[in-house]
Amino acid sequence: MLPHADDAITRDGKALVLAYDHGLEHGPVDFEPNPDTADPEAVWELATHDAVSAFAVQKGIAEAYYPSYEDDVSLLAKLNGTSNLWMGEPDSAVNWSADYAAELGADAVGFTLYGGSNGEVEMAEEFRDAQETAREHDMGVVMWSYPRGQGLKNDTSPDTIAYAARLGLELGADIAKVKYPGSGEAMAHACEMAGPAKVVMSGGSKTDDRAFLETVESAIANGAAGLAVGRNVFQRENPVEILDALEAVIYEEASADEALELTGSAAVADD
Amino acid sequence: MLPHADDAITRDGKALVLAYDHGLEHGPVDFEPNPDTADPEAVWELATHDAVSAFAVQKGIAEAYYPSYEDDVSLLAKLNGTSNLWMGEPDSAVNWSADYAAELGADAVGFTLYGGSNGEVEMAEEFRDAQETAREHDMGVVMWSYPRGQGLKNDTSPDTIAYAARLGLELGADIAKVKYPGSGEAMAHACEMAGPAKVVMSGGSKTDDRAFLETVESAIANGAAGLAVGRNVFQRENPVEILDALEAVIYEEASADEALELTGSAAVADD
Amino acid sequence: MLPHADDAITRDGKALVLAYDHGLEHGPVDFEPNPDTADPEAVWELATHDAVSAFAVQKGIAEAYYPSYEDDVSLLAKLNGTSNLWMGEPDSAVNWSADYAAELGADAVGFTLYGGSNGEVEMAEEFRDAQETAREHDMGVVMWSYPRGQGLKNDTSPDTIAYAARLGLELGADIAKVKYPGSGEAMAHACEMAGPAKVVMSGGSKTDDRAFLETVESAIANGAAGLAVGRNVFQRENPVEILDALEAVIYEEASADEALELTGSAAVADD
Amino acid sequence: MLPHADDAITRDGKALVLAYDHGLEHGPVDFEPNPDTADPEAVWELATHDAVSAFAVQKGIAEAYYPSYEDDVSLLAKLNGTSNLWMGEPDSAVNWSADYAAELGADAVGFTLYGGSNGEVEMAEEFRDAQETAREHDMGVVMWSYPRGQGLKNDTSPDTIAYAARLGLELGADIAKVKYPGSGEAMAHACEMAGPAKVVMSGGSKTDDRAFLETVESAIANGAAGLAVGRNVFQRENPVEILDALEAVIYEEASADEALELTGSAAVADD
Amino acid sequence: MLPHADDAITRDGKALVLAYDHGLEHGPVDFEPNPDTADPEAVWELATHDAVSAFAVQKGIAEAYYPSYEDDVSLLAKLNGTSNLWMGEPDSAVNWSADYAAELGADAVGFTLYGGSNGEVEMAEEFRDAQETAREHDMGVVMWSYPRGQGLKNDTSPDTIAYAARLGLELGADIAKVKYPGSGEAMAHACEMAGPAKVVMSGGSKTDDRAFLETVESAIANGAAGLAVGRNVFQRENPVEILDALEAVIYEEASADEALELTGSAAVADD
């Protein structure tokens, strides 16, 4: 964790990372709720929304579009990732070198660590290389800190998420992306464990507007710097509306209720 | 995926990749239907056909002949591959470094990824190195995206092929080579998932002229940029005729019927 | 072992290493007895105590704070370490390159070797790289020499600890950190086996003031150069008091009794 | 396969490779029939025979003697090899880097590939490095193409040997060394599959003069460029005589009968 | 094997290597018979004896003392080695790079190869790197050639030791250190198999003066260049006496009887 290393991917110290690596991690099935989002350009357009402080994509998506968006989008190069075609112990291929991410102009690198998996040692060493190369190029470092594997029955328990957040700090991430640990209190604990490193909550699978915004509000109120989100934005009928709402909650300390006014579901849930 | 990176191996944005690495992947048995084709020179001559936008071979075949054909053939350096003498979990050796491919004058590199196999993580990382080195030398990148392995019962299902095409885009290929997913509709879906990356259909084992050309017509009509083919050309009695026909279907939007006029099997199937 | 290589992390040839990598190795649970210590700054402040000759942390903790403390704290870069989320055979990821440790200004590197584990060979080779890189940058080398694994039933037996100390010398550490082998005599033997390399006793889990200081007194009296301690300092109600006491025992040859006068538990144990 | 890359280890396009790596591969037992041949100097002297177009040895044998023979012997640096003390799945250590072979003045490198073994992928990648480094130094490349392993019941079947020869061509060898596939017809097929790469027959274990020379005659008559031989030369009572005979068969198109006149066994078999 | 590469660690072509890596390989137990020898300085003093042509130690022991002894001792850098805390298949960590050995001023490198073990292939490749780096720095190369592992029931049989000696030659060692194969005849055979490479007999565990010197006499008389010895020197009550005796046997062709006159056990065994 290096002070200010994440400046280019945060806004007033807060962060909304729009993630769009689902085509690799989950496959085309994630685009089915909103088929237009299979087209990367549609999601790059979303990434130009003022609420989005960084856009996380794999290498191929960056090569194809970032030159056209470099003035409007902060690029978070997600370096590793693996298809879910593979059924083995959790692991993740390093698909993108940090050097090449820098060459493409990335503002930060993103890296998944499956703490507790049989791949933990190898992944941590790959993270080391990525993190230190990021430092050479003045890029920020975001860790997707996702404990999983044989020893972990419930990977969103408060203790596990607090440990996950701490791993981000100890190993040199500027921002740790963790799952929501189920309560504001647990989130506060995780944020405290991350010390000066920021914590962003992982968006997870799609939920309704109110539930989603209330969780984000709780996370922010308890010390999280923001949110990293994919499906809960691009699988919605109106992704811009939810980005408007998230902007209010994350950067303007609006309540979920206030933010819902900015969406079509102020009165009724839309799914 | 980098815009225009595949220009040297496409023609008007379309592609007919003639592949000739069967001596490594399958062994001499593939030359039996047309024994002359065991002689690489015979197939290099075919590769000079106007229809062929790139010729995919292993290193040894390129070293021996490419200097004599560099003015007439675009070289697609197939970097990995493994004999079928080996009975283990799908994997593929990197037999050719991207640097040396560049030194020999290759226009692009080709690389197989067995998504879903136990080798997926390692192969993806080898692909990363090849892809990034290709960028240094301004070579295009083609991924043979072939999901297989323990978790995959049917590797030509529409969902699998769509995922395969998307992997090409996400991981940085300019062209994804995938198997035909059984219908034009499924092919269209796969092409859509590849976004700006091109999709070429894999020729597969030899079929009769009509069946083959109709499949190619369907692929082209549904968004494929073309075809990568070996046995369906060089195992035929008259490979030039089928190349004439493929040229019509791929570059001139001819129907299979129209193209069949260019072959000896307009009226009757030749095998 | 290179004469004087440890000068920057010792004081008059003695050492008190304050270790604070528990957030990685054990997780947030270690901060529960004294919740303020989850905040790295609180422990960095402790590290400025005159008794502390070196502060051992992982990379992220160093990046975030060392620039503010470089005049007051000697940095011992703990290069490897692994979460206890992982349940496999003992192993440790190299989370920090020695080169980057040097770039951040570290005075020495610290490295765990699990002699006797299935990871011994690999860890020893990683230690080699770290040790030799440390020499290039004039950094000292401390080995956490912790035999464990399938072949080791009792890893604090006198023979095991003597072997552990010798491994430090043979493999090139300047200081070997070993567990207390149960008696002063055994400690003396271990120190003798380390030859010119220094031996520091590992603090272990928290015990009461008297028991702890008596063990340290015994270690020092029997040739140990000092102590590497974490929980026995930062988990106490008054860490400064125990540092005062340790300073007396380690650097001023005070007895445990004399040193207890400096703590609140001269008369009664505080836990 | 690079045209003319093997010029330094062939004579008029033909080859007789004298191999002497048996001390590594089989151990001293191979020297028992002719104990003098345990002394490398005795075999280096044989290698100066005009019939010998290249001498294949491991690094230690080259270091010790090649400086004294560099004017009279073409050095084929056998880069990999493993003792038969090891009982595992076929594999071979790379004992000699191609760079150091070049530094010692080698004319070519030799490399074993066990196609079909569990080591195939790794060995092929090691071959890649050796082959490409050989190109940097203008050294020729010879592949000992020896399919073996769990999937291969009979490793000298015509199909397997034809595949072996083809692997040499595809992967970039200038010369493929294969076992005799049992008939002239099968040898012709293997040579055809190697295309422009040369094929040399492996000498194998010692047989009588007539049987041996008839096999060589058959191989040459069916397209082989020559022979790679060890035991069938140095285990004989009179190795020079058999080299005289081989010279006649390989370079002068003599029949086995004619060549036998040059040996002491024109009328009777000598063993 | 490179002629004269071992000049700095031999004397008139003969060698007495004093080995002192037991603290790593066996642990402190080896110092118990003569506790003073746990202090490396005591053994460095022994190494200044004229009989000692090279002193073999691990990196830490060299770093600490060699600068004080470089005028009086030839340093043989033992690069690999592993504690016997580990219970797995024989393997050995490379604890010291050849480059760093050269930087410290080593005259030669020493390397263990467990031929026949599951680690053979990897160890042979590590030896390759060490051997070739040694050549760059004009250092000699000594192989501890110790066949062992699942396939080897009796690792001191004449055939195994002859093979071990040959491995030294083939793989590029200047000196092969092998166990005594039980008879002078078998030793002569092993030395013959090593060709121009020298063979030194391994001292093994401590035996009485007469038995030990007679074995050394037999080895020398049968072609061995000398001895590599640790325990049979430093575990004795009077190590200098036995060095005197060994000097006579190795360099002056004295008989064991004559040499015993130089020790206190001319008439009676001392243990």
Side-chain angles (χ1 to χ4, degrees), chain B residues 74-87:
Chain B
S74 291
L75 178 61
L76 172 46
K78 183 72 198 325
L79 302 186
N80 63 350
T82 291
S83 82
N84 70 10
L85 294 168
W86 189 52
M87 304 295 175

Side-chain angles (χ1 to χ4, degrees), chain B residues 122-143:
Chain B
E122 183 182 356
M123 293 178 84
E125 298 188 342
E126 293 167 341
F127 175 76
R128 172 202 65 217
D129 289 342
Q131 195 264 3
E132 297 186 2
T133 304
R135 294 308 185 218
E136 290 174 22
H137 297 291
D138 295 318
M139 296 187 291
V141 177
V142 181
M143 181 189 285

Side-chain angles (χ1 to χ4, degrees), chain E residues 68-257:
Chain E
S68 308
Y69 286 92
E70 60 189 354
D71 294 336
D72 301 310
V73 174
S74 290
L75 177 61
L76 172 46
K78 182 73 196 327
L79 302 187
N80 64 349
T82 290
S83 82
N84 68 13
L85 294 168
W86 189 52
M87 303 296 174
E89 173 75 7
D91 196 1
S92 195
V94 184
N95 299 311
W96 191 352
S97 75
D99 278 320
Y100 187 54
E103 193 180 322
L104 289 182
D107 297 289
V109 299
F111 208 96
T112 297
L113 179 72
Y114 293 139
S117 77
N118 284 337
E120 176 180 336
V121 168
E122 184 182 355
M123 294 179 82
E125 298 188 341
E126 293 167 341
F127 174 78
R128 173 201 65 217
D129 288 342
Q131 195 263 5
E132 298 187 1
T133 305
R135 294 310 183 214
E136 289 174 22
H137 296 292
D138 295 319
M139 297 188 290
V141 177
V142 182
M143 181 190 285
W144 274 235
S145 190
Y146 286 179
R148 67 179 62 174
Q150 55 188 15
L152 289 164
K153 301 223 165 46
N154 176 4
D155 62 359
T156 60
S157 71
D159 282 355
T160 297
I161 300 305
Y163 204 154
R166 185 74 185 192
L167 290 180
L169 169 64
E170 298 266 344
L171 299 179
D174 304 310
I175 298 179
K177 179 182 176 221
V178 300
K179 301 199 171 173
Y180 186 72
S183 73
E185 187 187 12
M187 194 72 200
H189 183 55
C191 293
E192 196 181 358
M193 292 307 114
K198 292 186 179 66
V199 173
V200 296
M201 180 191 115
S202 177
S205 21
K206 192 185 158 198
T207 55
D208 71 51
D209 285 7
R210 174 170 295 277
F212 177 53
L213 289 170
E214 283 178 353
T215 305
V216 177
E217 179 190 358
S218 159
I220 298 292
N222 284 285
L227 176 73
V229 63
R231 288 166 288 172
N232 261 303
V233 166
F234 70 68
Q235 288 185 353
R236 283 176 202 281
E237 206 177 324
N238 194 330
V240 171
E241 268 184 13
I242 196 73
L243 286 173
D244 292 341
L246 288 168
E247 185 169 26
V249 173
I250 293 172
Y251 302 102
E252 299 153 21
E253 303 187 2
S255 67
D257 275 339

